[in-house]
Amino acid sequence: MMRPMVIGTALACAKGILIDLDGSFLEGTALAPGALELFESYADRIAFVSNNSSHTPEELSAEMAVAGIKVEPSRIFLAGAQAVTWLATHRGTTRIFALASRSIRHLARKQGLNLTLEEPEIVLLCRDIELSYERLAIAVSALREGAELVAANPDLTHPGAGGVPVPETGMLLASLRAAVPSAAPIIVGKPRVTMFAAALRRLGVTPEDAVMIGDNPVTDGAGASALGIPFILVGRHRDALARDIAGLLWDRAA
Ligand SMILES: [Mg+2]
């Protein structure tokens, strides 16, 4: 963890800046204090690395453009989309039941995944914002039959507007495991290093030339540290080291 006086310098010197979204760059759908200024100062060095598992990068790019953040989808790494890519790469044409949003299911079909309700061999778990009892029952049944469980992220909640907790993928994961305790998930999102590594490749920088800004030491911090990326803590777990993203810019000015 860095001391406050060196955080501004670390940002200015970093060739790549990886930023978490919920609770860090965004507060609900609004930008966090200082987020716009941070983006305008370093836009060409920034990539977003988020455990969001309901949206595609294209959707988030369009939403952020409304708030004045013009970032191309190729710089946005999201756990749901990454889980789809992981399955396309590692599981090919396996029969998959996707407990996921319409956007993610559409993305999965576009990437050639075989989504089905019939005897699935894999359950893909994302933040299914259209969750129904029937869909939950299909997932439980498949897992009881021995289907593999692939989850986008382990987060129980993420902070929404005003810090109100938004139910996340990990909460659905807990409910599935309550019914099928033996279901051991493969987690694709943070803290796994896959998305961090992909973001570094996109920016063309090495871990030591990058920083990660995030609000969750367990996912943002642990994943960054596993690759040797310096980590700056902001947001709800914040302490005297970094009050918020605006604070990072004040440090830089000082
Ligand atoms: Mg976060």
Side-chain angles (χ1 to χ4, degrees), residues 20-24 159 190 215-216 220 236:
D20 168 55
L21 287 173
D22 295 304
S24 300
K190 297 179 284 187
D215 70 318
N216 191 333
D220 302 319
R236 66 192 158 135

Side-chain angles (χ1 to χ4, degrees), residues 9-156:
T9 309
L11 263 189
C13 294
K15 293 176 183 161
I17 302 173
L18 313 187
I19 310 177
D20 168 55
L21 287 173
D22 295 304
S24 300
F25 198 78
L26 300 176
E27 291 184 352
T29 54
L31 296 179
L36 183 60
E37 293 82 354
L38 178 73
F39 186 79
E40 287 176 341
S41 299
Y42 299 114
D44 59 344
R45 305 183 204 173
I46 286 175
F48 294 99
V49 180
S50 165
N51 266 352
N52 177 312
S53 71
S54 51
H55 294 69
T56 65
E58 286 73 16
E59 286 171 331
L60 262 191
S61 175
E63 280 187 17
M64 288 170 72
V66 174
I69 304 295
K70 302 244 184 314
V71 55
E72 50 192 276
S74 70
R75 286 176 181 254
I76 303 176
F77 296 85
L78 306 179
Q82 288 289 313
V84 167
T85 300
W86 188 90
L87 284 170
T89 307
H90 295 95
R91 293 295 184 270
T93 56
T94 314
R95 294 189 303 278
I96 298 168
F97 174 66
L99 210 56
S101 68
R102 207 165 288 198
S103 301
I104 294 296
R105 282 182 276 149
H106 181 66
L107 180 70
R109 289 196 190 90
K110 260 178 40 183
Q111 292 204 16
L113 297 188
N114 178 13
L115 299 194
T116 180
L117 303 175
E118 305 300 324
E119 299 181 3
E121 300 162 276
I122 291 175
V123 172
L124 166 62
L125 177 64
C126 294
R127 187 164 76 94
D128 186 351
I129 52 183
E130 294 166 352
L131 182 72
S132 69
Y133 186 87
E134 185 187 4
R135 294 172 59 73
L136 205 53
I138 293 170
V140 167
S141 170
L143 293 172
R144 292 221 9 149
E145 293 297 318
E148 188 175 25
L149 179 56
V150 176
N153 75 60
D155 307 348
L156 296 174

